[in-house]
Amino acid sequence: MSTVEMEVFSNSQLIVLIILMLIGGEIFTSMVGLLFKMFQHKRMENKISSLADSDPSTCQSSELEMVEKRDFESLESGNHETNSLDSSVDLLKCKSIKFLWFVVLGYFIAVQVLGVSLVSTYLALVSSARNVLENKGLNSLTFSIFTTVSTFANCGFLPTNENMVVFKSNSGLLLILIPQILLGNTLFPSCLRFCVWFLGKFFKKVESNYLLKKTSEVGYFHLLPSQHASYLVVTVFGFILTQFTLFCSMEWNSAGLHGLNSYQKIIGSLFQTMNTRYAGESIVDLSALSSALLVLFVVMMYLPPYTSFIPVKDDEEVYKKRNRRGRLLENILFSQLSYLALFTILVCITERQKLEEDPLNFNVLNIVVEVVSAYGGVGFTTGYSCDRQTQPDSNCVNKFYGFSGKWSDEGKIILIVVMMFGRLKKFNMDGGRAWKLL
């Protein structure tokens, strides 16, 4: 969550933020990486194409596709005897990466365009949601684009000060955003693999088969092997079900869900639990939730996006290269928990005076939530309330911004470092692979 109230931004400033969220999202940055891979293979493709032009027997596109198909089948059987085979495989790899780039681009555009269309349609049809924007002076189209992009890129920003709290009774809007949360993060690899398979049924069959069967050679982190992608779906929905069950059992009659009917409570609870894995949007005040739920949310925020609950067979050769002492040093002394514990301690030191004077707002659990949320790029925050002050300050005014907005400058700098550190380490866990829980 932002450290300033979002409604202070003008429409043009919100558009600038939309652009920043677009180009800063994981999927967009991964497309840039794929683009560099394409350029790296471009010289090889040009070299092979020039050879094909000099040989009339290889000029026909259909014949080249047959060669590519035969070479790919030979690759599967382990035949690496000729230089022509290696050249054809390199050409096939180059074309496959190019095909993958267009698939990711199409996915990136289609999901967000559909999301903007659905949100805009909902606002046009539902007066209660539209009235909220009118009362706040927000442009409906800007809100639709901003919300969709932020949700898909898992930024957690919204143009409203209260985040999604003002829309907690608009179940239709929440249902529209839920797929954006999943498609933009935890289920992206599984959906991407499905798109490659589906498109391969109609065209680019050779490239599609190469991507599906030679995933590791492509070198695109988000394109997971078939087994891992399947287990990932099971894990994601398993986590959601666990959180949803606990949230409903503990918060069904809470103040955060007060005034909602049963259907709205179910959708609201589902939306809230969906957001613990990197989206960070909220329909309730997190500080009012039970400590057990907050601890569960901290665990969910800490886990990497492609965590698999079911064991996935890893590259054993990578681990054989590591000696036992090195693994112990990495897993204990330099584990992610160690870094997070260090950052939490540093924040507690910088905010030690407020921990003594304002213990209900400044407590260790709230600080842990803020630090882990920043590390995971989630955006969850318990906020700050003047009503929880043990020594009431007459000048205190409740503001709709994150808990870190009340931290000292030193504490905010530490949190910035945490966010940068999390950005670098989130997709580089366990030797560059996502974690496996079992």
Side-chain angles (χ1 to χ4, degrees):
M1 183 177 284
S2 172
T3 56
V4 297
E5 292 186 312
M6 291 297 295
E7 291 175 22
V8 302
F9 293 109
S10 65
N11 191 69
S12 57
Q13 290 173 324
L14 291 177
I15 293 175
V16 173
L17 289 177
I18 290 172
I19 297 173
L20 293 176
M21 290 188 295
L22 269 175
I23 63 177
E26 295 291 345
I27 296 180
F28 184 89
T29 54
S30 71
M31 288 169 54
V32 176
L34 273 179
L35 202 59
F36 282 123
K37 285 181 179 292
M38 289 170 55
F39 289 147
Q40 289 175 358
H41 289 83
K42 191 65 177 176
R43 291 183 179 179
M44 179 62 69
E45 183 181 9
N46 291 338
K47 182 178 179 180
I48 296 174
S49 298
S50 62
L51 291 174
D53 291 337
S54 63
D55 186 355
S57 64
T58 61
C59 286
Q60 298 298 322
S61 175
S62 60
E63 293 180 359
L64 181 57
E65 291 178 358
M66 290 298 293
V67 171
E68 290 174 350
K69 184 176 181 180
R70 187 184 69 244
D71 292 341
F72 178 70
E73 291 173 350
S74 299
L75 180 64
E76 285 292 294
S77 62
N79 183 11
H80 301 278
E81 297 177 356
T82 64
N83 292 331
S84 61
L85 174 62
D86 294 335
S87 299
S88 297
V89 171
D90 288 337
L91 178 59
L92 177 56
K93 182 178 180 180
C94 182
K95 289 189 174 183
S96 298
I97 292 175
K98 184 177 181 180
F99 172 62
L100 179 61
W101 187 84
F102 281 108
V103 172
V104 177
L105 177 63
Y107 181 94
F108 178 80
I109 295 174
V111 173
Q112 295 189 85
V113 169
L114 180 61
V116 171
S117 301
L118 291 175
V119 174
S120 299
T121 302
Y122 182 87
L123 293 175
L125 296 176
V126 181
S127 59
S128 59
R130 186 172 63 253
N131 290 338
V132 171
L133 300 182
E134 291 176 353
N135 293 335
K136 293 178 175 293
L138 295 172
N139 181 278
S140 296
L141 181 59
T142 302
F143 175 85
S144 301
I145 299 174
F146 192 102
T147 302
T148 301
V149 171
S150 177
T151 304
F152 184 77
N154 296 278
C155 295
F157 286 162
L158 284 173
T160 57
N161 290 338
E162 307 89 346
N163 206 273
M164 289 299 292
V165 176
V166 289
F167 297 107
K168 64 181 180 181
S169 61
N170 297 109
S171 300
L173 180 59
L174 301 183
L175 286 173
I176 292 172
L177 295 180
I178 284 175
Q180 296 282 328
I181 298 170
L182 296 176
L183 296 177
N185 195 277
T186 50
L187 289 186
F188 173 57
S190 303
C191 294
L192 176 61
R193 189 173 181 87
F194 174 79
C195 289
V196 171
W197 170 83
F198 181 79
L199 292 174
K201 293 293 183 180
F202 301 97
F203 58 93
K204 298 291 184 181
K205 184 175 181 179
V206 178
E207 289 87 344
S208 175
N209 287 338
Y210 183 88
L211 292 172
L212 295 176
K213 295 180 180 180
K214 292 293 178 181
T215 303
S216 59
E217 294 189 10
V218 176
Y220 185 58
F221 179 82
H222 302 287
L223 185 63
L224 300 180
S226 176
Q227 188 184 41
H228 192 173
S230 301
Y231 291 162
L232 179 62
V233 176
V234 177
T235 303
V236 168
F237 286 105
F239 283 151
I240 292 172
L241 180 61
T242 301
Q243 295 176 85
F244 177 76
T245 302
L246 185 60
F247 188 91
C248 288
S249 63
M250 301 190 71
E251 301 295 331
W252 189 261
N253 296 315
S254 65
L257 300 180
H258 178 72
L260 304 180
N261 57 41
S262 297
Y263 172 74
Q264 291 171 334
K265 286 182 178 181
I266 291 175
I267 301 301
S269 300
L270 183 63
F271 179 83
Q272 186 65 47
T273 53
M274 287 278 193
N275 277 275
T276 57
R277 305 279 312 277
Y278 308 108
E281 295 167 6
S282 181
I283 64 163
V284 296
D285 179 6
L286 293 184
S287 64
L289 298 180
S290 63
S291 298
L293 270 177
L294 287 180
V295 172
L296 177 61
F297 286 177
V298 167
V299 174
M300 292 296 106
M301 290 187 292
Y302 172 71
L303 293 176
Y306 303 154
T307 298
S308 175
F309 185 74
I310 304 174
V312 178
K313 195 172 183 180
D314 244 332
D315 238 345
E316 296 180 359
E317 296 182 0
V318 175
Y319 296 98
K320 289 180 180 178
K321 293 179 181 178
R322 300 180 184 178
N323 58 53
R324 187 173 182 180
R325 182 178 179 183
R327 288 199 305 269
L328 183 64
L329 185 67
E330 179 181 356
N331 293 335
I332 296 179
L333 296 182
F334 298 98
S335 68
Q336 308 306 305
L337 286 175
S338 300
Y339 289 118
L340 290 176
L342 175 61
F343 288 133
T344 302
I345 292 171
L346 290 176
V347 172
C348 288
I349 292 175
T350 60
E351 311 303 321
R352 59 188 181 277
Q353 183 175 353
K354 294 178 181 177
L355 282 166
E356 296 176 0
E357 298 175 353
D358 194 4
L360 296 184
N361 281 304
F362 281 83
N363 56 67
V364 176
L365 181 57
N366 287 355
I367 291 176
V368 169
V369 170
E370 203 80 7
V371 170
V372 177
S373 176
Y375 171 80
V378 179
F380 268 171
T381 181
T382 54
Y384 185 92
S385 175
C386 299
D387 300 331
R388 293 197 294 267
Q389 291 181 336
T390 55
Q391 301 175 6
D393 182 1
S394 58
N395 297 321
C396 182
V397 179
N398 284 317
K399 298 282 187 179
F400 290 103
Y401 53 66
F403 174 45
S404 57
K406 287 288 186 178
W407 291 11
S408 64
D409 291 340
E410 293 81 1
K412 292 176 182 177
I413 292 174
I414 294 173
L415 200 64
I416 292 173
V417 174
V418 172
M419 289 187 285
M420 295 175 63
F421 179 79
R423 182 76 170 182
L424 293 173
K425 300 293 288 185
K426 183 167 61 174
F427 291 111
N428 192 35
M429 291 185 171
D430 204 344
R433 296 179 181 269
W435 279 10
K436 286 82 183 170
L437 298 184
L438 293 176

